[in-house]
Amino acid sequence: MNAAVDADDENVERRPRRRYHQPQQRQRKLTVRFSADEEAEIQRAAADRALTVARLIATSSLNAARSLSLDQDPEDRRDRALDELAAARHQVARCGNNLNQIARELNSGGLPNPADLVAALAAVRSTIAAIDTASAKIVKEK
């Protein structure tokens, strides 16, 4: 029985996200031109931020028009908070699995390893802290 949460699970990789859908398709289309080097730079920046290239260009342009930095983008902050909640949900599922293993051991008349109990409790505490942090970020956005 392994009650420890893997460090890799806390660094869940973000998938590229599209901008939020609007009730109607956006009607306006702009065409821009970039050199090959500029395009590669934009693609790297989008990949680093787990955004599609179109979303990065649209968000960056709108943020510049609104005098906002990318860090101030409400959609990006909301996405990051949701990613934290998804990672926390994954941790909660792992904790539940560990607790089920401990309960099965107790129900079969055995005693679980105290180190497993301590590790499971630590995982639950860190998961609750992660959920609280992500929830607070979402609440701040409203």
Side-chain angles (χ1 to χ4, degrees), residues 19 51 54-64 70 73 75:
R19 288 190 297 163
L51 299 174
R55 180 172 177 183
L56 176 71
I57 292 170
T59 301
S60 299
S61 300
L62 289 170
N63 286 345
L70 189 60
D73 178 30
E75 285 185 15

Side-chain angles (χ1 to χ4, degrees), residues 24-128:
Q24 293 182 337
Q25 182 178 10
R26 291 174 175 93
Q27 300 297 318
R28 307 299 294 180
K29 179 180 177 182
L30 299 176
T31 303
V32 296
R33 294 175 188 252
F34 297 103
S35 69
D37 291 340
E38 291 168 334
E39 180 185 16
E41 187 175 347
I42 291 169
Q43 288 175 339
R44 278 192 304 275
D48 289 346
R49 291 172 176 84
L51 299 174
T52 61
V53 170
R55 180 172 177 183
L56 176 71
I57 292 170
T59 301
S60 299
S61 300
L62 289 170
N63 286 345
R66 296 171 183 157
S67 299
L68 299 173
S69 70
L70 189 60
D71 294 336
Q72 295 172 316
D73 178 30
E75 285 185 15
D76 185 58
R77 288 189 300 200
R78 187 175 27 254
D79 282 349
R80 290 186 188 284
L82 289 173
D83 289 340
E84 285 183 40
L85 283 174
R89 184 196 178 285
H90 181 73
Q91 289 176 349
V92 168
R94 289 182 53 87
C95 293
N97 181 46
N98 291 336
L99 293 172
N100 281 337
Q101 291 175 10
I102 291 168
R104 186 179 66 219
E105 183 74 23
L106 287 170
N107 288 334
S108 67
L111 290 175
N113 182 342
D116 289 338
L117 292 172
V118 170
L121 183 58
V124 168
R125 285 183 176 149
S126 70
T127 299
I128 290 171

